[in-house]
Amino acid sequence: MYAAAWSFAAPRLVASHQNEFGTIQRISSSREQCLCTSNFLKGVKWAPDGTCLLTNSEDNTLRLFELPCEVYSLPETGFSDMAPCLRYNEGEVVHDYCWYPKMSSQDPSTAFFLAVAREHPIHMHDAFTGKIKGSYRPYNHVDEIDTTYSLCFSPCGDHIYAGSEKAIRIFDTSRPGRSYHTLTTYSRKHGGQSGVISCIAANPDHTGLLAAGSYSGTIGLYTATGQIWKLKCGAIFEGHYRPGPKGKIGEDGEEKRREVRAGVTQVTFSPCGNYLYSGARRCNSIICWDIRHTCEPLFSMSRICHTNQHIAFDLSPRGDLLATGGQDGCVSVYSTCQAGQLVGRIHEGRGGSEGSESVCVNGVAFHPFLPLVATATGQKRFGLRTMPSFFEEGEVCASGVEFVLKGRSAGAGAGGREVDLTYPMEAREDGEIVCEMESPQGEGTLTAPTDSQTHTPTPTLTP
């Protein structure tokens, strides 16, 4: 958590928590392998009253953190260690979670949030006790619990929007159970927005406008008339693209790649309700749309996002700033009033200093009224060993276009299993040959000098 004073000239760390997140290695002698489990954060969201924040992590647990009292005074030096006051385990991968928009710690009846896991009902959790106050159960055509991928409250909190495959369910917040209306986003007869509805946002201007993003790479706008929902004037648009599969080699000798649509992971309305911001996986840009003219984007803001990991962004309470994480270990802050001009950066890394080890920043959240920014960092890491610990004995032969690994597997004694593996190699300008390979501990890169044809192996396997 950083105090930025909305200028981001010199943000300082005021609170953090790291004890429950990291990589744990377990050695299994019976199976001769190293089992690595990593627990990392997947997102963070402030409560509407700003007194606490909610996080999601790899261990399928939602953690509730209270804002330390000393942080309210924005101390100039030092930082506090935040410990979770409550934990909620959902049992499966948590797809989405959201706070009740009128939540207030002064009124316990409003202190709750929603969370949904894979193949589970939507649960309403009490933020004080952690107990489940109610469940909302969407069913598919064979009367089984249908997986919900995205959640959103209406601005006044009286309805819940739940996105699933080719459909959006609308629940009444005051009526838990299986009573809901269904908005079908795609059908073979009428077409529409196909794919999984991965994110939903309701327009804060109370006009009943709903934006939905899909993993098919499209964004749809929907309006309601009474209990009937429909697509707003055919408003399905696309603008996020990622590099597609490798194509043919062109006349210039370079391999051509066509772009394909990238799955949309987040849509967010501006506080005024006139603009929509969207981000996608494996896409290095966040796009601003004018929902009054949705054909073309107004401007875009860049970030580093090369994988399918969900990297979130957030708007400041006034809507004049947008902060986004990235795989470069930085939080980039843009001015939405200046067509997406970069105005500041927070170098997260390890300890929040520039030049430190990069770690993916996958969650960013502005405090509702204080100049604070909460960040969530982490990514899946695989444990790798060096090659000498993988092979007891052997040799590496570099013969023109491939690596040949010959030897005896470690841990099996004199009767160990013979290993003879072949991998394609690539010559580097610095005099090394490189090959991409896999081991029982994960994927990596094998490097060795090119001046020797046969030698005792000393290469290393690096991620």
Side-chain angles (χ1 to χ4, degrees):
M1 185 188 305
Y2 291 85
W6 302 137
S7 64
F8 293 92
R12 62 186 183 278
L13 184 66
V14 294
S16 69
H17 179 72
Q18 299 178 356
N19 296 337
E20 299 184 38
F21 309 104
T23 301
I24 303 174
Q25 295 189 0
R26 299 182 178 92
I27 305 299
S28 175
S29 57
S30 60
R31 291 187 292 174
E32 302 173 12
Q33 61 180 350
C34 175
L35 303 177
C36 296
T37 59
S38 59
N39 185 30
F40 58 91
L41 288 166
K42 289 185 174 180
V44 58
K45 294 183 179 181
W46 281 105
D49 66 347
T51 58
C52 54
L53 49 85
L54 190 65
T55 66
N56 179 27
S57 55
E58 178 69 6
D59 59 355
N60 309 328
T61 301
L62 298 171
R63 291 173 172 83
L64 186 68
F65 295 85
E66 288 186 349
L67 188 63
C69 296
E70 57 269 19
V71 175
Y72 286 97
S73 60
L74 300 179
E76 294 294 334
T77 59
F79 62 92
S80 303
D81 185 18
M82 300 175 61
C85 55
L86 285 175
R87 296 175 180 85
Y88 320 84
N89 189 278
E90 289 291 333
E92 271 291 350
V93 176
V94 179
H95 285 163
D96 202 3
Y97 56 102
C98 63
W99 284 98
Y100 180 61
K102 295 184 178 181
M103 180 268 182
S104 174
S105 298
Q106 304 298 323
D107 184 1
S109 64
T110 64
F112 62 87
F113 61 90
L114 297 177
V116 62
R118 181 175 57 189
E119 298 179 354
H120 279 57
I122 302 168
H123 290 154
M124 177 188 291
H125 290 275
D126 190 303
F128 282 100
T129 65
K131 295 182 179 180
I132 297 178
K133 301 180 65 175
S135 296
Y136 304 85
R137 304 187 300 273
Y139 286 83
N140 56 20
H141 62 285
V142 293
D143 205 37
E144 295 177 345
I145 292 288
D146 198 11
T147 299
T148 299
Y149 295 90
S150 53
L151 288 173
C152 176
F153 274 103
S154 61
C156 55
D158 56 349
H159 288 92
I160 300 169
Y161 306 117
S164 59
E165 187 171 4
K166 302 177 185 178
I168 299 174
R169 271 88 177 206
I170 299 98
F171 292 89
D172 189 334
T173 307
S174 62
R175 297 182 61 188
R178 61 177 300 173
S179 177
Y180 55 85
H181 299 282
T182 300
L183 165 62
T184 302
T185 61
Y186 178 84
S187 65
R188 291 186 177 181
K189 181 178 181 180
H190 302 288
Q193 186 179 13
S194 62
V196 170
I197 303 301
S198 55
C199 51
I200 303 177
N203 198 320
D205 63 359
H206 298 271
T207 57
L209 185 65
L210 190 70
S214 169
Y215 280 148
S216 65
T218 59
I219 300 172
L221 297 179
Y222 301 89
T223 56
T225 303
Q227 298 292 341
I228 301 176
W229 286 81
K230 62 180 179 179
L231 192 66
K232 179 184 176 182
C233 302
I236 295 180
F237 46 99
E238 58 188 59
H240 294 281
Y241 298 93
R242 61 175 178 83
K246 296 180 180 180
K248 298 181 180 179
I249 298 179
E251 297 179 355
D252 54 358
E254 295 184 358
E255 193 173 40
K256 304 297 182 181
R257 280 197 173 191
R258 60 185 180 88
E259 289 187 333
V260 297
R261 291 184 301 193
V264 180
T265 56
Q266 184 178 353
V267 288
T268 301
F269 280 100
S270 63
C272 65
N274 292 330
Y275 305 100
L276 179 70
Y277 298 88
S278 62
R281 59 188 184 184
R282 298 182 64 184
C283 179
N284 295 329
S285 63
I286 297 172
I287 298 178
C288 175
W289 310 82
D290 188 338
I291 61 173
R292 298 165 294 185
H293 306 282
T294 56
C295 296
E296 297 293 337
L298 292 179
F299 57 87
S300 63
M301 294 154 283
S302 63
R303 64 177 179 178
I304 306 299
C305 181
H306 297 308
T307 66
N308 288 332
Q309 185 174 7
H310 184 184
I311 298 179
F313 63 88
D314 192 29
L315 287 169
S316 63
R318 296 184 300 177
D320 57 337
L321 296 174
L322 183 145
T324 177
Q327 292 180 312
D328 57 350
C330 294
V331 177
S332 302
V333 185
Y334 295 92
S335 171
T336 59
C337 301
Q338 302 177 14
Q341 181 179 348
L342 183 66
V343 296
R345 290 172 71 88
I346 300 176
H347 299 273
E348 182 65 49
R350 296 293 180 90
S353 60
E354 187 174 2
S356 56
E357 181 185 353
S358 294
V359 59
C360 179
V361 182
N362 53 56
V364 181
F366 282 97
H367 193 275
F369 50 87
L370 290 176
L372 295 174
V373 177
T375 63
T377 62
Q379 59 200 14
K380 189 179 290 294
R381 297 183 182 274
F382 299 93
L384 299 174
R385 294 181 182 177
T386 60
M387 188 55 58
S389 64
F390 178 47
F391 286 99
E392 272 190 350
E393 57 183 21
E395 60 183 9
V396 179
C397 305
S399 57
V401 294
E402 63 186 20
F403 266 122
V404 180
L405 276 65
K406 298 181 179 181
R408 192 176 301 276
S409 59
R417 183 171 58 89
E418 294 291 338
V419 179
D420 190 350
L421 306 175
T422 303
Y423 299 96
M425 76 175 193
E426 177 185 356
R428 282 183 177 173
E429 295 180 357
D430 57 3
E432 288 186 333
I433 47 179
V434 180
C435 105
E436 301 293 331
M437 62 168 294
E438 294 182 358
S439 76
Q441 290 78 38
E443 299 180 354
T445 301
L446 178 67
T447 61
T450 58
D451 56 355
S452 176
Q453 293 296 319
T454 304
H455 59 280
T456 301
T458 56
T460 58
L461 185 63
T462 58

